[in-house]
Amino acid sequence: MSHPAPHPRKIIIDTDPGQDDAVAILLALASPELDVLGITVAAGNVPLPLTQKNARVICELAGRRDMKIFAGCDAPLAQRLVTAEHVHGKTGLDGIALPDPTMPLSPGHAVDFLIDTLRREPAGSVTLCPLGPLTNIATALAKAPDIAPKIAEIVLMGGAYFEVGNITPAAEFNIYVDPEAADIVFRSGVPIVVLPLDVTHKALTSREWVERMRGLGTEAGRAVASWTDFFERYDTAKYGSLGAPLHDPCVIAYLLQPDLFTGRQIHVAIELEGRHTRGMTVADWWRVTEGAPNAFFIGGVKRDAFFDLLTERIARL
Ligand code: RIB
Ligand code: CA
C-alpha cells in the first residue's frame, strides 16, 4: 500500500538576519519537509530596516521572490534596542556583497500576520521558529491571547545555562535584547523547545566544511562560506575556538532531524530583575525547584550528522 507523502510541516520563521539566521533560512527553504508560510522580521542583530532588507536578500538568493516577508517590531517591549554589529558587521550580513533586494516586503505588520495565520490555520498545525529577540512573538501573544493554544510548538534559538552568556556574563543575546518578551513566551503555556548556546556552541563550523560550501560552486554555497568565515572571527577572538557556532540553523535542523539533539524537559525562568543577570535563562537542569517544566532545553547535538544535513540541503539550492 502506498503511503501518502507526509504533509510538510507548516512553520513561520521569526528572524533578525544575521549570517546564522541566513543559513537557517536557506536550510528551511531547501527542505521539502517544511512549508514556510512566511518570515516575520524583528530588530536584533541590526536595526529593523536592515533585518527586513536582509531577509529579502536571503530569499532572493534562494530563488524565493514569492516568500511572504513582514517587518515587525523595531524595538524591545521595555528597553532600548541593543544590536550586535560587532559580531555581524554593520549590514548584519557582512562577509559577501549581495545585490540589494528587488522583491517587496509584504504589506502589513508581522504581528498581525502571526495572529491572522494562527487564527486561520487548523489548531496545532503551525510551528513558530524564532531566531532572534522574541518581541514579535510576545506582542502577538499579548495582543491575541487566543492564539496560544493554537500554536503547535515554539522552537527557538536563545538562552544559555552551562555555557553562560555571550552578550553579558549571564545572558544570551536573543533573550537579553528583550527579556520581557522572553518572559511572556516562556510563561505562555505553549510547548517550547530551546536551542541555547549550550548546544549551538557545539555546532562549530570547520575549515573543511566551509571550503566544501565554497566548493559547491553555487551562489548559496559561496554566500554560506563567506558568511560563516566572517561570523567566525568574533567567536575565535573571544573564545579561542576555531569555527563559527551555527546558532540559528540548529532550530531548523531540530525540526528536520530531532534525533540529532538531546535535552531535558525542565523549568526555565527569565531573569528580569537581576542587576547583573537580567536576561538570563534560569534553567532548572537539576530540577531543584518546584517550577513546572515549561521547555525542552537542548544540550547536545551529533555535530557531524548536523553538518552532513546542512551540506546536503544547501547543495540543493
Ligand atoms: O546569541 C546568538 C543569537 O543572537 C543568534 O540568533 C544570532 O543570530 C543573534 O541573533
Ligand atoms: Ca538570530
Side-chain angles (χ1 to χ4, degrees):
M1 181 181 78
S2 68
H3 294 277
H7 291 296
R9 182 170 182 172
K10 293 177 181 176
I11 69 170
I12 296 173
I13 297 174
D14 189 67
T15 178
D16 65 331
Q19 291 89 349
D20 60 318
D21 302 68
V23 179
I25 292 167
L26 292 182
L27 176 59
L29 297 180
S31 299
E33 304 95 321
L34 303 175
D35 176 6
V36 183
L37 300 179
I39 294 176
T40 52
V41 186
N45 286 319
V46 287
L48 184 66
L50 284 173
T51 51
Q52 58 91 335
K53 173 186 172 187
N54 293 343
R56 291 183 286 150
V57 167
I58 297 157
C59 286
E60 287 194 347
L61 178 68
R64 292 299 306 274
R65 293 177 47 81
D66 62 304
M67 181 54 62
K68 292 178 184 171
I69 302 175
F70 298 86
C73 301
D74 62 2
L77 297 183
Q79 65 184 25
R80 66 174 182 77
L81 178 64
V82 170
T83 52
E85 286 87 350
H86 60 294
V87 180
H88 300 274
K90 66 177 175 41
T91 70
L93 280 186
D94 283 27
I96 183 172
L98 292 171
D100 282 351
T102 57
M103 68 182 281
L105 274 177
S106 298
H109 195 284
V111 169
D112 295 324
F113 172 72
L114 287 162
I115 294 169
D116 296 346
T117 304
L118 287 163
R119 283 177 171 163
R120 182 188 69 244
E121 294 293 332
S125 67
V126 178
T127 297
L128 304 184
C129 304
L131 310 179
L134 291 164
T135 315
N136 288 336
I137 310 299
T139 303
L141 286 166
K143 185 175 179 183
D146 60 287
I147 65 172
K150 303 199 73 176
I151 302 169
E153 210 172 31
I154 296 176
V155 183
L156 67 89
M157 191 278 141
Y161 187 56
F162 295 102
E163 197 66 8
V164 295
N166 61 357
I167 186 76
T168 74
E172 178 277 328
F173 179 79
N174 287 342
I175 308 298
Y176 179 74
V177 167
D178 198 340
E180 280 70 22
D183 184 48
I184 289 170
V185 171
F186 277 78
R187 288 190 299 109
S188 68
V190 176
I192 296 175
V193 177
V194 182
L195 289 112
L197 297 180
D198 302 62
V199 65
T200 68
H201 278 181
K202 294 169 183 166
L204 293 174
T205 60
S206 66
R207 184 52 32 209
E208 179 268 338
W209 182 79
V210 172
E211 291 317 313
R212 198 187 312 168
M213 284 293 107
R214 207 181 307 279
L216 291 175
T218 62
E219 271 293 284
R222 196 162 65 90
V224 169
S226 305
W227 286 330
T228 47
D229 264 349
F230 181 87
F231 188 55
E232 173 182 5
R233 85 212 188 294
Y234 173 76
D235 282 76
T236 300
K238 176 173 179 179
Y239 296 104
S241 59
L242 283 182
L246 290 191
H247 304 292
D248 297 336
C250 286
V251 168
I252 308 302
Y254 177 84
L255 297 178
L256 297 171
Q257 293 184 10
D259 295 345
L260 297 185
F261 298 87
T262 54
R264 282 185 187 179
Q265 188 68 24
I266 59 171
H267 182 262
V268 178
I270 307 298
E271 180 56 62
L272 299 177
E273 309 301 327
R275 185 170 160 213
H276 304 290
T277 55
R278 180 165 155 79
M280 180 177 180
T281 45
V282 184
D284 188 6
W285 185 262
W286 302 113
R287 298 190 178 104
V288 295
T289 73
E290 298 304 311
N294 61 340
F296 187 66
F297 197 84
I298 291 180
V301 61
K302 294 174 183 168
R303 182 213 172 274
D304 293 346
F306 168 79
F307 279 96
D308 289 346
L309 171 65
L310 211 46
T311 303
E312 189 271 324
R313 293 300 162 98
I314 300 296
R316 297 187 185 190
L317 295 173

